[in-house]
């Protein structure tokens, strides 16, 4: 499956849409039903945090989400481009080094990369 990319205005109302799209793409990518709630929650948290930071530092810039369901992993990358301030001191504590979550700086903002096991895409 190709990458699905979306951008949205940093408004809390759009987080629900991002969760719904992520869940639909995860299902289509073969993520087991038992993990779909985890995908929905994780994407919602990452997008909510990006919206919060954007509203404070760069309300005109969109939040970016990329969803890729290729191979054995379904991957979501939520990117904010907000610069400066205490809002960038996230995460508040170090994130454990795990294969399924990575937080990294991307210039002035952060990228949160999350992944889940998937099977072959459903037709």
């Amino acid at each position: 499956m190709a990458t699905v990319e979306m951008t949205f205005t940093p408004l809390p109302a759009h987080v629900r849409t991002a969760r719904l799209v992520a869940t639909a793409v995860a299902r289509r990518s073969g993520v087991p039903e038992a993990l779909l709630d985890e995908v929905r929650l994780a994407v919602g948290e990452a997008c909510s945090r990006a919206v919060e930071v954007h509203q404070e530092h760069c309300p005109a810039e969109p939040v970016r989400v990329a969803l890729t369901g290729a191979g054995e992993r379904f991957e979501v990358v939520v990117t904010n481009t907000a610069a400066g301030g205490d809002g960038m001191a996230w995460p508040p504590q170090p994130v454990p080094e795990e294969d399924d979550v990575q937080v990294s700086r991307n210039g002035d903002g952060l990228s949160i990369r999350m992944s889940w096991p998937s099977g072959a895409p459903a037709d």
Side-chain angles (χ1 to χ4, degrees):
M1 172 179 265
T3 299
V4 174
E5 295 180 344
M6 65 179 152
T7 60
F8 61 91
T9 306
L11 296 171
H14 297 311
V15 172
R16 181 174 188 266
T17 302
R19 285 193 316 250
L20 291 170
V21 170
T23 303
V25 175
R27 182 176 283 120
R28 178 92 172 124
S29 298
V31 173
E33 288 289 325
L35 295 177
L36 293 179
D37 279 341
E38 182 180 318
V39 171
R40 185 179 302 112
L41 287 170
V43 170
E45 288 295 321
C47 288
S48 292
R49 181 65 184 137
V51 165
E52 179 183 324
V53 172
H54 273 242
Q55 284 182 333
E56 184 176 341
H57 298 287
C58 58
E61 291 291 320
V63 174
R64 300 181 186 288
V65 181
L67 309 147
T68 306
E72 298 178 6
R73 304 290 293 176
F74 169 68
E75 183 177 274
V76 178
V77 179
V78 177
T79 304
N80 76 61
T81 55
D86 292 334
M88 295 312 298
W90 190 84
Q93 66 249 352
V95 174
E97 288 296 322
E98 296 182 17
D99 291 340
D100 55 350
V101 178
Q102 298 172 345
V103 179
S104 58
R105 292 233 178 247
N106 63 7
D108 290 333
L110 289 176
S111 287
I112 301 170
R113 181 181 307 269
M114 306 167 279
S115 67
W116 293 267
S118 66
D123 290 328

